[in-house]
Amino acid sequence: MMVEVFKTNVQKETDTNYIIAVIKRQFPMYKVNFDLEDCDKILRVEGVDLQWRNIIDYVNCLGYICVKLD
């Protein structure tokens, strides 16, 4: 099981629900959540064989910034 954490510019809860739905549609086995209380507006994704570059691409294509945190 891998866990990746991303910094985003997502501000609204409604936006998080949409982004999570898009990611889950493509990767149904991933566990996805946001922490909008964090200053980095964290997106956390957990899954086996995690394709983090695809996650960044999907979020970017939706018009948001998404950067992998080390």
Side-chain angles (χ1 to χ4, degrees):
M1 189 70 64
M2 296 174 62
V3 176
E4 294 292 350
V5 179
F6 305 90
K7 176 181 179 175
T8 73
N9 67 338
V10 178
Q11 298 293 321
K12 299 177 189 169
E13 192 74 32
T14 53
D15 295 339
T16 66
N17 294 336
Y18 177 63
I19 294 167
I20 290 169
V22 169
I23 293 171
K24 299 274 293 172
R25 191 176 314 125
Q26 193 65 30
F27 305 102
M29 301 304 286
Y30 288 2
K31 193 171 163 184
V32 184
N33 61 58
F34 274 89
D35 180 1
L36 296 184
E37 300 293 319
D38 187 277
C39 64
D40 288 331
K41 309 300 182 199
I42 295 296
L43 165 62
R44 184 176 180 272
V45 182
E46 182 179 328
V48 176
D49 207 17
L50 198 72
Q51 299 175 26
W52 62 267
R53 285 181 183 89
N54 289 345
I55 300 295
I56 290 173
D57 288 343
Y58 281 113
V59 176
N60 289 341
C61 285
L62 295 172
Y64 301 97
I65 295 169
C66 183
V67 179
K68 184 174 174 273
L69 295 177
D70 292 322

